[in-house]
Amino acid sequence: MNNRLGLTLPGPRRADDGADHLTPDITKIKATGNYHDQSRVRKLKVQPQVTTGSFQVTDPAGHRIPFAPGDYLVLKLEDVPVAAAAGLAVLRVTEAASRTQNASPSTAVAAVPLVKTAKQAPAPSNFHPDKAMVDDGDKIVLRWDGPGDLDYKIRSSDGNPAPGVTTKGEWKPDPGTGPKRDTTYTLIATDPNTGRQHFLTTTVQLRNPTFESGIHASRVQGTANTGGLTFTTDGVHVSANSGAWGAVHADKVEAGQVTAAKIHGGRPNAGALLFTTSGVEVVSNAPGGQGILLADRVNAGRVQGKSTNDGWISFPGAGIQVSSGTYLDTPKNGCVFAEVGIFQNQSFSGGKENRWIAMSDGAEVCVIHMHEDGTRSYGDMKVSSVKNDFARW
């Protein structure tokens, strides 16, 4: 026969917020008890004992509660304000019972362990920048959602100290302290009561990053289907998006040596320089066309026609030597062909005059003098010898 049932809460003061305590306030617990026998349910009286931190369960009329085989008692605790610290709370159940109605009751004690966890504060979320790509690192704005009772800090991957969070759910760098290159930020949220921390990360990119220590890569590829740079042991290869050789566009190129099969002019329809095994050819924009070399002055040992069998002009100290045949052969005197005449300027005392040899359609040859006063006169032609087999004008 059961006479009385007691439930004692753990802890030296029976009500506290420690790891081994169940509740800081026993009076806020709603406790009810029911006795179940084979045919009915009887409501029991549950009284809190504040000084001892326990509940006493008895029959409402003060009678002993008879327990037959299969009967049981249920004690329900509701609306329990659980102690803040996580831990193991051990409840002690004390039973005062006797086997017969007239026998004195004896006391038995049972332990009921109860695992409790600390109240979890809502974690922050949605950590993101206003713009994932910015032009200036000083214009970064980071935002997040989260409870206001957590301590928030921002840590950047560049190692620079980040200013503290002063606006709820928002952070931005101080002027002049923004990153110069892509940076990953970490949001650290700390619960001041439990020390529990939450970590969130987000990354911001800069359109024009600055790298203090340089960029190390075997290849750099442009965006939007453009070419790339491949770094080799002997330099840099420029390639198009297809992988073929690419083009380098520059206003000015300074180099110790340039190796090229052909160099084109930069203007529309401009000619080019073609490098062959025998030298350099000037070509025009037309396919297979010969180009023109224009220069204020050309220093050369000789000038030859286009073909290797054409005549050539050499420049000895005395003047000009016209030769025929290839320059590999013994030089032979060549011919000078002129449509109008061969001119000579000669200075003499008292003035200047121009002289030239004129050839007419009738194959007549004469020497003409141009005087200072503008008049002309015929001169004499004196020939001591003719070295060529023929003279052609």
Side-chain angles (χ1 to χ4, degrees):
M1 303 292 293
N2 190 318
N3 186 38
R4 184 173 64 251
L5 183 72
L7 175 66
T8 304
L9 304 185
R13 295 194 302 272
R14 311 303 179 194
D16 210 334
D17 258 347
D20 56 351
H21 302 141
L22 177 65
T23 180
D25 191 351
I26 192 175
T27 62
K28 293 183 178 181
I29 297 177
K30 179 182 178 182
T32 57
N34 293 314
Y35 167 66
H36 298 254
D37 60 17
Q38 299 295 325
S39 59
R40 58 177 179 166
V41 177
R42 293 169 54 190
K43 186 175 182 179
L44 302 178
K45 182 179 180 181
V46 181
Q47 293 177 305
Q49 310 296 315
V50 178
T51 56
T52 60
S54 62
F55 291 94
Q56 187 179 70
V57 183
T58 58
D59 182 80
H63 302 300
R64 293 187 176 186
I65 306 172
F67 276 83
D71 296 350
Y72 60 93
L73 184 149
V74 175
L75 176 62
K76 183 186 297 185
L77 302 180
E78 297 179 288
D79 300 331
V80 179
V82 180
L88 180 66
V90 180
L91 309 183
R92 187 176 64 187
V93 180
T94 304
E95 180 186 28
S98 61
R99 291 186 176 274
T100 63
Q101 185 175 3
N102 297 323
S104 299
S106 59
T107 302
V109 178
V112 179
L114 179 63
V115 178
K116 61 186 179 70
T117 59
K119 180 181 178 181
Q120 300 294 325
S125 60
N126 195 26
F127 184 43
H128 67 281
D130 274 0
K131 295 181 179 179
M133 180 76 73
V134 295
D135 296 318
D136 186 349
D138 286 351
K139 297 181 180 179
I140 291 176
V141 179
L142 304 180
R143 302 185 189 277
W144 63 91
D145 299 326
D149 56 351
L150 298 180
D151 294 332
Y152 295 98
K153 291 183 179 180
I154 299 292
R155 180 184 299 166
S156 61
S157 59
D158 58 9
N160 294 327
V165 177
T166 57
T167 303
K168 182 179 179 180
E170 177 184 313
W171 178 89
K172 61 181 66 175
D174 291 335
T177 65
K180 303 300 182 182
R181 59 180 182 272
D182 300 351
T183 301
T184 297
Y185 288 95
T186 301
L187 174 67
I188 305 174
T190 305
D191 188 330
N193 297 320
T194 64
R196 180 181 175 87
Q197 290 186 319
H198 303 274
F199 299 87
L200 296 174
T201 60
T202 190
T203 300
V204 181
Q205 295 179 318
L206 270 70
R207 286 190 174 87
N208 299 299
T210 300
F211 298 92
E212 294 83 357
S213 59
I215 301 176
H216 299 272
S218 60
R219 178 177 173 81
V220 177
Q221 182 72 36
T223 58
N225 297 324
T226 55
L229 299 177
T230 302
F231 300 91
T232 64
T233 55
D234 60 349
V236 179
H237 290 178
V238 180
S239 59
N241 183 56
S242 62
W245 288 110
V248 177
H249 301 272
D251 179 66
K252 182 180 181 181
V253 176
E254 295 184 4
Q257 177 177 330
V258 177
T259 302
K262 191 175 185 179
I263 298 179
H264 286 269
R267 298 178 181 178
N269 300 323
L273 297 178
L274 179 63
F275 299 89
T276 65
T277 56
S278 60
V280 181
E281 294 183 13
V282 180
V283 296
S284 65
N285 185 58
Q290 296 293 323
I292 300 173
L293 178 62
L294 303 178
D296 179 67
R297 177 179 178 181
V298 177
N299 294 337
R302 75 175 170 273
V303 178
Q304 186 173 1
K306 296 180 181 180
S307 173
T308 56
N309 295 323
D310 291 342
W312 48 284
I313 301 173
S314 60
F315 304 91
I320 299 175
Q321 173 68 43
V322 179
S323 304
S324 64
T326 174
Y327 69 91
L328 297 176
D329 300 332
T330 302
K332 300 179 181 179
N333 291 330
C335 300
V336 177
F337 298 90
E339 182 179 356
V340 178
I342 300 175
F343 293 84
Q344 177 192 26
N345 291 333
Q346 181 177 345
S347 300
F348 59 93
S349 178
K352 297 181 179 179
E353 62 180 15
N354 294 328
R355 302 177 182 177
W356 71 91
I357 302 174
M359 281 84 48
S360 64
D361 293 339
E364 294 181 353
V365 180
C366 59
V367 178
I368 301 176
H369 293 261
M370 173 67 75
H371 303 281
E372 283 189 309
D373 58 2
T375 61
R376 299 182 181 181
S377 63
Y378 292 98
D380 298 330
M381 177 180 292
K382 297 180 180 180
V383 180
S384 60
S385 64
V386 177
K387 295 183 179 179
N388 295 63
D389 296 336
F390 63 93
R392 180 179 177 187
W393 304 94

